[in-house]
Amino acid sequence: MEILREFIHAIELESERNAIEHASVMALPLNERVAKGVTMVNFSLVFNFRELPPSPWDEPIEFPLSYIDSAQITCDKNISKFKEGSKVILCNRGHNFKMEIKEDSVDSFILEPQDFHKYSCYIERNNYPKNNWELREDKSDATEKMLTKTAEVLSNDNSKLSRIDNILNGRAKNFYSSNTYDIANLNNSQKNALSNAVNSSDFCIIQGPPGTGKTETIANMVKVFLEQGKKVFVTAPTHTAINNCLNAISKRIQDKSKVIKIGDRPQNKELADNSHVSTKASLAYPTYQNSVEFHQHGIVIGATPYSVCYDATKKLRYWEFDVCIVDEASQLSIPLSLAAMSRSNKYIFVGDHKQLDPIVPQGTESEMFSESIFSRLARIYPNEINLLNVSYRLNKSLISIPNTLFYNDKLESSPRAILDSKHYECQYHANILNNDPHILVLHNEFDGISDSKYEAVIVTNLVSDLARNGAKLSEIGIMTPYRAQVRTIRRELKNRFPKMTKDHFKMLFIDTVDSMQGQERDYVIYSLANSHPLESMKRLDFFYSPNRLNVAITRAKKKCFVIGNYKVFDMSDINIFNHSEYQEIKKSLMIFDDYYHLSTKITLSSDIQSEW
């Protein structure tokens, strides 16, 4: 069928592109790889060793070699893209250790051997090189293997393949039963979305703009499905999004025999204190059927799409679900969505195509990589979209700009949304904090392309002023497009407040915009960190992404501060119109221009009060 041919071609295409791209990047001179953030050098390294083999069934390795338990690397200037969960290769001459970053702090990484490579990670305990190590990006073919198995499953199930093919190519027609579900504490748009999701025959599309309660809608929906005895699969592109859904679901279904998360311990951290969710590394269907631990009539399982690619992974072997609910579907690629759809009979897609898109290979001309699963369905079934239209996060002031730029003024702010009338006593930026809730802070300091010490100082000043006024670290979110700027901000905060510990940094959200989607904070600071956008090594479509801007300016409940060089918004610059990417990003530039004119602006001089 058409969709299967596209799918198989997309798998081959992605594999080929990834291999070519990885090879071309690794062939670059060392300084260029470091600048791109895919290689680290000039760091100190300390290994920790196992006293016993990785498995109790293996003999100890011969002296003087020892198995590596972990490694700590420390770097004064870390501009890499690596973060917790990144797969990397630690190498030095003849040593090539496949590792994973388990902890990312201000100036160091903790690495551990990847699960399937623990037995090949060994070295002389008392005589290993201390210098000239290199940390490189590791290319993985796990996604290719898993999607290939999904293609095999679909090729052997013509009925399901035909159904998916019809849905994705605009030929499906939903039929609706007439049951009503009047759930307390849901607004009219949420009730309508829930009813349509439960009553639909094949699929449902729910658009949840920022703060409109899509997770609450999902939780109540799952409760209805479980009361009907359904087997429900809740999935998303990230474990965090899945965990957030399960936390909300468990508040309505306080029974751990009915709510299960599939994942390793680090992937379940948001569920650590939830006694109403069972966590398992895997659960094959025959094991579930023969277990007295789990409910047999109505159950919800949360896991990533990879978990249902059995034979490639044994996490959820032999499961067939009645319903698949995809949260953050606007961030899920079409190939990955097929993995989830291949194990279910009905599909509910919840997301917002005005927020971040999935990361997919560029320039392939394949429809599989042209947009997310949510964008595709929203485009071909516009009359099937159920819009959640009341924001409980954004007050009347904060909702104004995104409503105009992205939602055609269809959203409204709930009366419950916080209106901040507080007067702030400030050491640094009283003009910013005692102004409109949404402020664009402009400056003319030209100091960076993907990190800015100047902006890091402004961020630190704002955090200091907020703390002076009683704001908790957990109420503050700091974002930037670039991982290098994340590290620069962390370093500036650590220098200014030396008593800040790892626990403090865990409370204070500092990360890229992509990591913030689905979350909220009372106070949000967005550092654009690029004084030379036309010279950036990043693509302009990344930096001038309207969706990334939308996510950044819709996380705040009280105040939002966007910090950037005025050149970012100087659309009169002739160089912009002559740039090779101009025609491709013309609409995006117009949105940034509109944002500039809609914003309340404050311009800072280069002599800001700081340690700059």
Side-chain angles (χ1 to χ4, degrees), residues 296-341:
Q296 298 296 313
H297 186 73
I299 192 166
V300 56
I301 295 181
T304 62
Y306 298 108
S307 299
V308 289
C309 301
Y310 69 62
D311 290 336
T313 171
K314 298 179 180 179
K315 291 183 178 296
L316 285 171
R317 295 193 81 181
Y318 308 119
W319 275 86
E320 287 287 338
F321 293 93
D322 299 304
V323 182
C324 171
I325 300 175
V326 183
D327 190 21
E328 301 292 1
S330 56
Q331 284 191 285
L332 196 67
S333 69
I334 294 173
L336 266 182
S337 71
L338 288 177
M341 296 172 74

Side-chain angles (χ1 to χ4, degrees), residues 69-80:
D69 184 54
S70 66
Q72 179 170 345
I73 66 174
T74 304
C75 181
D76 292 334
K77 181 66 173 176
N78 183 353
I79 60 171
S80 74

Side-chain angles (χ1 to χ4, degrees), residues 369-386:
F369 296 127
S370 64
E371 56 192 333
S372 70
I373 182 65
F374 192 92
S375 294
R376 179 164 178 163
L377 295 176
R379 174 173 55 80
I380 61 181
Y381 299 105
N383 296 329
E384 292 280 356
I385 298 174
N386 295 269

Side-chain angles (χ1 to χ4, degrees), residues 231-302:
K231 296 189 293 291
V232 182
F233 181 50
V234 172
T235 192
T238 66
H239 284 278
T240 298
I242 297 165
N243 295 342
N244 290 339
C245 277
L246 294 181
N247 275 326
I249 290 166
S250 68
K251 290 179 181 178
R252 286 149 190 81
I253 306 164
Q254 297 186 3
D255 184 345
K256 65 185 299 183
S257 73
K258 297 182 180 181
V259 185
I260 305 170
K261 171 66 195 301
I262 303 298
D264 299 325
R265 182 178 295 180
Q267 300 164 339
N268 300 330
K269 58 185 178 180
E270 292 86 3
L271 301 170
D273 300 322
N274 192 332
S275 61
H276 300 304
V277 179
S278 297
T279 56
K280 295 286 181 181
S282 62
L283 182 64
Y285 190 63
T287 303
Y288 161 72
Q289 286 182 302
N290 296 314
S291 172
V292 295
E293 183 181 354
F294 303 115
H295 200 271
Q296 298 296 313
H297 186 73
I299 192 166
V300 56
I301 295 181

Side-chain angles (χ1 to χ4, degrees), residues 445 447 452-455 457 606-612:
E445 187 69 34
D447 71 330
S452 167
K453 171 74 181 298
Y454 181 84
E455 290 188 17
V457 170
S606 293
D607 60 346
I608 59 171
Q609 184 181 358
S610 66
E611 299 171 8
W612 172 253

